Amino acid sequence: HYPEVCYTHGFFGEPDPIPLEHSRTHWLAGQAQAFMREMDGSGQPWHLRFDLSEPHLPCRPAGRFAEMYKPEDMQPWDGFAETFVNKPYIQRQQLLNWRVEDYTWEDWAPIVARYFGVISQMDEAIGLLLQELDRLDAAGNTLVVFTSDHGDLCGSHRMMDKHYVLYDDIVRVPLILRWPERLRPGTRIAEFVYNHLDVPPTILEAIHKDIPEFFHGRSLWPLLRGEPVRDWPSEVIATYNGQQFGLYTQRMIRGDRWKLVWNTTDIDELYDLHEDPGELNNLINDSTWQPLVRQYREKLYYQLKQSGDRLVGNIWVKDQLLLNLKI
């Protein structure tokens, strides 16, 4: 029996007094290991989806992970120098929504340290599953896919959580595949992928099942085998339609160097990711880059249309994007 836990720091997190083995990450890992043993004993093919909410605010690392990282060692994110000059109004508004408008890096550093701690805690929990595969002698014929649905600002651009922005802090997520019998360790794919949309066809091809024609994603296996794919997308698309603070429509197209964010009710954004990885300088109205802006607007429109995004089915909104009818 353990005393009732009373958290006082809200969304900003704090150490979790629950013993590590009873924390959400490690308790769930234990349940998953039991499932793996049961299914392995059945002799039948099996699938396990292991969903952890970590890392996610409020970050509450347990046990040794609570003190693993020191606030004084946390270095500011590239995006922490945000001034909000030439940025959508809603970004500044978020500081007021979360009441962090006066936060300095000294305020954010303990939060970031807990964020790092809970990431390491999650990493160990996933390691327990991989170790179980090894104990079952099942790693060789098991495809493991690790990814995430979104990132977290955690002080980058002086904001928190994930809403009303399409910065790389939020939209650039990991995708790691492990299959010792078919994937060479250390293989890295430089091409852009649609991540989650590409995962289902990749799994279906791995188990020799047909891929439905209506799928928007494509199997990664040609790239994983090292085959050249001439028509692989050179840009990725991301979408956002609002959350608890209200509706807000965004669409993004990102290539290796450039990112265009279309904000239907505010100023658009253009970032040079090579020169400005923190996405601090919005170049959308810079005359030098207007030909590039037009090119990216057209690419974004046609990809949204091809995928059936109804936003561009509205002629008024379509013209806003294609003709740059923005203030």
Side-chain angles (χ1 to χ4, degrees):
H1 298 283
Y2 299 100
E4 181 180 352
V5 176
C6 181
Y7 295 108
T8 60
H9 207 197
F11 285 109
F12 300 99
E14 57 210 313
D16 193 336
I18 294 176
L20 179 62
E21 63 271 21
H22 298 303
S23 67
R24 183 164 50 189
T25 54
H26 286 54
W27 182 85
L28 283 172
Q31 297 298 301
Q33 287 174 299
F35 172 83
M36 293 162 65
R37 290 191 292 270
E38 177 183 352
M39 296 308 298
D40 184 72
S42 73
Q44 298 296 316
W46 54 270
H47 168 262
L48 168 65
R49 176 169 167 172
F50 183 62
D51 287 326
L52 292 173
S53 60
E54 289 80 11
H56 196 291
L57 58 82
C59 291
R60 292 173 175 143
R64 65 184 182 279
F65 296 101
E67 304 295 333
M68 179 171 284
Y69 299 93
K70 304 300 181 185
E72 57 268 25
D73 294 333
M74 299 299 99
Q75 298 300 311
W77 312 112
D78 289 341
F80 186 70
E82 182 64 77
T83 64
F84 302 106
V85 173
N86 203 33
K87 295 293 185 79
Y89 151 81
I90 204 166
Q91 296 188 21
R92 297 190 302 275
Q93 177 62 42
Q94 281 207 72
L95 273 66
L96 300 175
N97 291 346
W98 290 104
R99 297 181 175 87
V100 295
E101 64 272 20
D102 297 322
Y103 270 37
T104 66
W105 185 250
E106 284 68 31
D107 297 306
W108 279 109
I111 302 171
V112 175
R114 289 191 287 271
Y115 180 58
F116 282 12
V118 86
I119 289 174
S120 292
Q121 182 177 325
M122 173 203 66
D123 184 63
E124 180 173 279
I126 294 171
L128 295 174
L129 271 63
L130 299 180
Q131 292 171 18
E132 191 66 38
L133 280 176
D134 290 337
R135 281 194 291 269
L136 296 171
D137 196 26
N141 61 357
T142 303
L143 172 62
V144 177
V145 180
F146 174 84
T147 188
S148 178
D149 55 346
H150 60 78
D152 194 304
L153 289 160
C154 197
S156 186
H157 298 274
R158 298 171 52 199
M159 293 181 279
M160 61 189 299
D161 209 16
K162 56 184 181 294
H163 300 307
Y164 306 121
V165 297
L166 290 172
Y167 292 125
D168 271 13
D169 308 83
I170 301 302
V171 298
R172 189 175 184 181
V173 297
L175 176 61
I176 304 172
L177 284 75
R178 176 182 184 261
W179 194 350
E181 286 191 358
R182 295 186 55 183
L183 294 175
R184 181 165 51 86
T187 299
R188 181 180 178 88
I189 299 176
E191 287 81 359
F192 280 105
V193 295
Y194 277 95
N195 213 318
H196 299 140
L197 293 179
D198 287 336
V199 169
T202 301
I203 293 175
L204 288 175
E205 182 174 346
I207 59 177
H208 309 293
K209 298 293 184 181
D210 293 335
I211 300 171
E213 293 184 1
F214 65 84
F215 273 22
H216 290 155
R218 299 171 61 177
S219 172
L220 297 171
W221 280 106
L223 299 178
L224 292 169
R225 290 190 292 263
E227 300 171 3
V229 184
R230 294 182 180 179
D231 63 341
W232 197 264
S234 57
E235 292 89 20
V236 294
I237 306 294
T239 68
Y240 183 79
N241 294 297
Q243 199 34 281
Q244 65 257 42
F245 296 122
L247 299 178
Y248 185 71
T249 305
Q250 295 180 288
R251 301 292 186 265
M252 178 204 84
I253 181 168
R254 183 201 193 280
D256 175 64
R257 177 176 177 182
W258 296 98
K259 175 190 289 188
L260 173 74
V261 180
W262 174 31
N263 299 305
T264 60
T265 58
D266 208 328
I267 186 173
D268 292 339
E269 301 163 78
L270 177 71
Y271 299 109
D272 182 345
L273 301 173
H274 286 186
E275 299 297 325
D276 177 28
E279 299 175 80
L280 297 170
N281 186 20
N282 183 10
L283 301 172
I284 193 64
N285 292 321
D286 189 321
S287 60
T288 304
W289 306 113
Q290 291 314 297
L292 178 77
V293 170
R294 287 193 295 271
Q295 176 187 358
Y296 264 58
R297 288 188 186 281
E298 290 180 2
K299 284 187 174 184
L300 178 59
Y301 168 74
Y302 287 111
Q303 291 201 38
L304 292 176
K305 182 179 179 181
Q306 183 180 19
S307 65
D309 191 319
R310 294 186 178 183
L311 181 64
V312 294
N314 179 327
I315 188 172
W316 305 100
V317 180
K318 166 190 170 183
D319 286 352
Q320 182 200 102
L321 173 62
L322 281 178
L323 303 180
N324 192 21
L325 301 178
K326 301 295 293 285
I327 295 176

